[in-house]
């Protein structure tokens, strides 16, 4: 098999293997969305704070207090022994312990995305058979196998220099 053709085939197999794995990733959606009214005003505020709660500010993270203003790009991070409540537009969102709330602008809306501790710290199974061997692992294994077969069947007799 010609070296160029072999290289193209290997590249294609590997790109399909790695590219398709991202199709199985879950997109995180907004917990709540509300209309965006322009950059002139803050988009919301922290209503209540209990325990260990931090909020992103211009100079980094600082302790959160009821009444802190939130803008697009703000993040509220709640510790293991804390909780908070946030109001943004028509959304009232509770932020439980060991979680965070991201405030972002998505097209013409403000998106509140709650990320809980089970989403940030847990290793999620891929949904496969026994041992957790699912579609992403299968695609990667197939690409690896195809690469090995192509490497093992190369024609060593057509060397460039003799």
């Amino acid at each position: 098999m010609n070296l160029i053709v072999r290289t193209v085939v290997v590249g294609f197999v590997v790109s399909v293997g790695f590219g398709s794995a991202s199709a199985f990733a879950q997109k995180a959606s907004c917990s709540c969305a509300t209309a965006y009214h322009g950059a002139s005003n803050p988009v919301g505020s922290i209503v209540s704070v209990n325990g260990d709660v931090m909020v992103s500010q211009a100079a980094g993270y600082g302790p959160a207090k009821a009444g802190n203003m939130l803008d697009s790009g703000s993040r509220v991070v709640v510790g293991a022994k804390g909780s908070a409540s946030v109001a943004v537009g028509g959304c009232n969102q509770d932020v439980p312990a060991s979680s965070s709330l991201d405030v972002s602008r998505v097209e013409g809306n403000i998106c509140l995305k709650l990320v809980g501790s089970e989403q940030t710290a847990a290793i999620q199974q891929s949904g496969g058979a026994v041992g957790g061997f699912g579609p992403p692992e299968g695609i990667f294994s197939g690409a690896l196998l195809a690469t090995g077969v192509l490497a093992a069947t190369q024609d060593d007799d057509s060397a460039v220099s003799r």
Side-chain angles (χ1 to χ4, degrees):
M1 188 188 257
N2 187 335
L3 178 63
I4 295 173
V5 173
R6 190 174 336 128
T7 305
V8 169
V9 170
V10 169
F12 176 73
V13 170
V14 171
S15 69
V16 167
F18 286 115
S20 297
S22 65
F24 295 102
Q26 297 178 1
K27 279 190 169 181
S29 60
C30 298
S31 303
C32 185
T34 187
Y36 178 66
H37 298 294
S40 60
N41 299 323
V43 296
S45 64
I46 297 176
V47 177
S48 66
V49 172
N50 181 20
D52 185 24
V53 181
M54 304 291 278
V55 63
S56 63
Q57 300 169 340
Y61 283 91
K65 296 181 254 179
N68 281 117
M69 294 297 163
L70 299 172
D71 289 314
S72 178
S74 295
R75 174 177 283 175
V76 178
V77 179
V78 179
K81 295 181 179 180
S83 65
S85 181
V86 171
V88 176
C91 297
N92 294 313
Q93 180 74 51
D94 291 327
V95 188
S98 301
S99 61
S100 65
L101 180 75
D102 293 332
V103 181
S104 60
R105 186 169 158 209
V106 178
E107 296 174 2
N109 293 318
I110 295 295
C111 172
L112 300 181
K113 183 169 76 171
L114 182 65
V115 179
S117 60
E118 70 281 352
Q119 293 172 322
T120 57
I123 298 174
Q124 298 181 359
Q125 293 290 331
S126 62
V130 177
F133 196 80
E137 292 89 355
I139 291 170
F140 179 73
S141 297
L144 190 60
L145 179 64
T147 304
V149 168
L150 288 172
T153 59
Q154 71 180 349
D155 185 10
D156 291 330
D157 292 335
S158 61
V160 174
S161 62
R162 290 201 174 212

